Amino acid sequence: MLLRALTFTLCQTCTHALTAFPLQETRPILQKPAMLKYEEKQRLLDSDQQSEATSIDLEDVTAATSDLIFNRTLEHPTSNFDTMVHLLKGNIGTGILAMPDAFRNAGWAVGLFGTLFMGVVCTHCMHMLVGCSHELCRRTQKQSLSFSEVVEQAFSTGPEAIQKYAKLAKTLINIFLCITQLGFCCVYFVFVAANIHDVIKHYFFDMSVHWYLLLLLLPMVLLNWVKSLKYLTPSSLFASIVTCSGLVITFFYMFQGLPKIASIKAVSTWSQVPLYFGTAIYAFEGIGVILPLENNMKTPQDFGGWLGVLNTGMIIVAALYTGVGFFGYLKYGDEAVKGSVTLLLPPDELLAQSVRLMMALAIFLSYPLQFYVPFNILWPTVEKHFHTEKNRDIAEYLLRTLLVFITFIFAIAIPNLGAVISLVGAFSSSALALIFPPLIEIVTFWPEGLGKNRWVLCKDLLIILFGFVGFLFGSYVSLLNILYPEQQM
């Protein structure tokens, strides 16, 4: 009986409790946190799907732009081999033959390590230029950009304060490119004429070098009527083979009877170092042709990278520069004052004379590659004034002829080959190779893309400072050397 009474009492208590807190009212209280979690999860899933879709869209845009850059539509694309040949010829010109004179102005120790260091810096600046070109192509949805277009787009899409200077920056780059490349062409003219003059004088008769310049004018005009880099590959290849053969014979003479290293200076005077800088930076003369070469490649993705066309070519170039400069100075010492090591070879030996003719032929065939850049800068301005295809063709040939004639006129006025090489290098090559590429990188990636703690900014500013100091002192000393050649040390 007692047990039944307790059970009845417990049941009544439970009934009152359920009546006081109905089940219909407790469900919302119990289910509300669960509903919140479900809704929150659904919102997160929707957000993830939207982010994923956006990410996919961005990846599609990036991939499409990369396809645009790496699968360009070109009429006459160049292969990796073609590009390597043009790259070597674009960098190995009269500058490499002037390297013994550069080492004489610096001393063998400064020249040795300075040339290798300058090679690394110049190659890095070339990579900078190509990298900025690709980034700006992605932003503007273009297949390729020229050097001047790169700097224009960098300023146009850069910080708001400098966007108004985009056109000015483009014009400035074009001016420096024209000065640099046409300066190379002038030196090429003088080099070819001087070497032919020396050979003819030794074996036959003496005639003013100006007549040789005049005789070279017509063949140079006809050679520069070739319009496509693709069609210049055979001549560049032949010029590369001839250059290599000439350098092998030059090394053969330089290695004979080498004196002890103590016979030459390890460090030269401070007044001569700017001349070294100008000649050395002139020797790395390929910055102007880097983007035209990369833009014309069938597989531009092979241009960069650790083992790409650019690094492979520049390692060869830097090694040759250093070797010719060091052994040329060790062999000839202070006699290396002439602007080309070929002028120091024994004049009575037929093999030595053949080197002069070989290098003259190679430089003659390399002229169109340097000429290609200024022509392509000036031609669009001229082309828009002619509306028929026939008139445009005539105007193009006339412009090509006029530019060759201008370099011919300036070549006649060059009094000192070595000093002019140094001036062209210090004034224009240093600006294009060492000042503008890091400046373009800063503007292109400002402010987020400059690395942790802005290390990219610091690195670029140091390169700009190095190039600017060389620009000022090298130009000043080289100009004095041209105006007062009798005071040359």
Side-chain angles (χ1 to χ4, degrees):
M1 292 293 294
L2 181 60
L3 182 59
R4 287 181 181 178
L6 289 173
T7 302
F8 178 76
T9 304
L10 183 59
C11 289
Q12 281 187 328
T13 303
C14 291
T15 302
H16 286 300
L18 290 172
T19 305
F21 302 99
L23 186 60
Q24 290 82 359
E25 295 182 8
T26 58
R27 280 177 183 171
I29 297 174
L30 292 172
Q31 290 182 350
K32 191 172 183 180
M35 289 294 294
L36 288 174
K37 288 181 181 179
Y38 174 78
E39 292 173 1
E40 183 71 19
K41 183 177 180 180
Q42 192 64 38
R43 280 198 300 270
L44 289 173
L45 286 173
D46 293 340
S47 177
D48 288 343
Q49 289 175 355
Q50 185 176 0
S51 299
E52 185 178 353
T54 304
S55 177
I56 291 172
D57 290 342
L58 290 174
E59 288 176 1
D60 289 343
V61 171
T62 304
T65 311
S66 296
D67 288 341
L68 194 68
I69 297 171
F70 296 134
N71 295 283
R72 297 166 178 150
T73 303
L74 300 170
E75 185 177 357
H76 301 291
T78 54
S79 65
N80 291 359
F81 178 75
D82 295 337
T83 306
M84 177 68 76
V85 170
H86 288 315
L87 178 64
L88 292 175
K89 281 313 303 161
N91 282 277
I92 300 176
T94 55
I96 190 171
L97 301 174
M99 286 307 293
D101 186 25
F103 273 63
R104 182 189 66 85
N105 286 317
W108 71 263
V110 175
L112 186 66
F113 296 104
T115 304
L116 293 174
F117 171 75
M118 204 170 294
V120 171
V121 174
C122 287
T123 305
H124 177 62
C125 288
M126 292 175 182
H127 279 288
M128 271 191 224
L129 188 59
V130 174
C132 291
S133 174
H134 288 178
E135 171 62 26
L136 293 167
C137 282
R138 293 186 184 98
R139 294 181 188 178
T140 57
Q141 294 292 295
K142 293 183 178 180
Q143 283 191 335
S144 62
L145 295 170
S146 66
F147 199 151
S148 60
E149 289 171 341
V150 166
V151 72
E152 181 184 28
Q153 293 300 329
F155 274 68
S156 297
T157 61
E160 187 176 352
I162 64 171
Q163 290 179 2
K164 58 184 178 182
Y165 300 111
K167 292 292 183 184
L168 177 62
K170 179 181 180 180
T171 303
L172 193 62
I173 285 286
N174 281 334
I175 290 173
F176 272 98
L177 278 172
C178 287
I179 292 174
T180 303
Q181 300 303 124
L182 292 178
F184 292 160
C185 292
C186 292
V187 174
Y188 280 20
F189 242 128
V190 175
F191 178 87
V192 175
N195 278 276
I196 295 176
H197 166 266
D198 282 6
V199 174
I200 299 296
K201 178 183 177 180
H202 181 76
Y203 286 107
F204 301 104
F205 53 86
D206 188 12
M207 186 172 66
S208 172
V209 71
H210 296 96
W211 287 107
Y212 291 98
L213 287 169
L214 185 61
L215 291 173
L216 285 170
L217 180 59
L218 180 58
M220 199 72 86
V221 168
L222 294 176
L223 183 63
N224 284 276
W225 278 1
V226 179
K227 299 180 180 181
S228 173
L229 278 179
K230 182 70 176 178
Y231 298 140
L232 289 174
T233 298
S235 65
S236 290
L237 178 59
F238 180 71
S240 298
I241 294 172
V242 171
T243 300
C244 291
S245 303
L247 288 175
V248 168
I249 299 173
T250 302
F251 274 112
F252 168 75
Y253 281 104
M254 290 192 300
F255 287 156
Q256 289 184 359
L258 283 175
K260 294 182 179 180
I261 199 170
S263 64
I264 56 176
K265 296 176 290 186
V267 180
S268 188
T269 60
W270 282 105
S271 61
Q272 290 178 275
V273 171
L275 288 173
Y276 158 76
F277 174 85
T279 304
I281 196 64
Y282 170 93
F284 292 96
E285 58 193 66
I287 188 69
V289 300
I290 289 300
L291 285 181
L293 290 179
E294 197 269 348
N295 290 341
N296 278 278
M297 284 186 71
K298 183 178 181 180
T299 55
Q301 59 268 28
D302 295 336
F303 191 74
W306 286 102
L307 298 177
V309 173
L310 179 56
N311 279 358
T312 304
M314 292 307 296
I315 288 173
I316 296 172
V317 168
L320 287 173
Y321 287 167
T322 306
V324 172
F326 177 79
F327 290 108
Y329 179 44
L330 180 60
K331 171 69 175 179
Y332 299 107
D334 289 335
E335 293 181 10
V337 66
K338 296 184 179 180
S340 172
V341 69
T342 58
L343 302 176
L344 300 170
L345 300 179
D348 297 327
E349 297 189 22
L350 183 61
L351 185 61
Q353 294 289 8
S354 70
V355 172
R356 295 181 179 182
L357 293 178
M358 291 165 66
M359 298 306 294
L361 177 61
I363 295 303
F364 172 79
L365 294 175
S366 301
Y367 183 105
L369 189 59
Q370 304 297 343
F371 181 86
Y372 181 86
V373 175
F375 172 79
N376 278 277
I377 291 172
L378 298 173
W379 173 239
T381 305
V382 176
E383 183 183 20
K384 63 184 180 182
H385 296 291
F386 300 90
H387 305 293
T388 66
E389 185 175 352
K390 182 180 179 180
N391 289 340
R392 280 197 296 269
D393 286 340
I394 295 173
E396 181 175 353
Y397 286 119
L398 287 176
L399 179 60
R400 288 177 178 273
T401 304
L402 177 62
L403 289 178
V404 173
F405 187 75
I406 289 173
T407 63
F408 163 76
I409 295 297
F410 278 100
I412 292 178
I414 292 177
N416 186 327
L417 180 60
V420 171
I421 286 175
S422 181
L423 177 62
V424 172
F427 179 76
S428 51
S429 294
S430 61
L432 291 174
L434 298 176
I435 296 176
F436 284 115
L439 179 62
I440 291 171
E441 184 174 60
I442 292 173
V443 174
T444 300
F445 296 102
W446 181 272
E448 293 88 2
L450 297 177
K452 186 178 180 181
N453 298 324
R454 300 286 178 89
W455 71 270
V456 175
L457 176 63
C458 296
K459 177 260 300 178
D460 287 346
L461 290 177
L462 287 175
I463 295 175
I464 292 172
L465 179 62
F466 174 63
F468 188 70
V469 170
F471 170 84
L472 288 180
F473 287 98
S475 299
Y476 174 73
V477 176
S478 299
L479 194 58
L480 288 181
N481 222 17
I482 292 174
L483 297 176
Y484 307 103
E486 68 279 358
Q487 299 179 8
Q488 185 176 359
M489 299 179 64

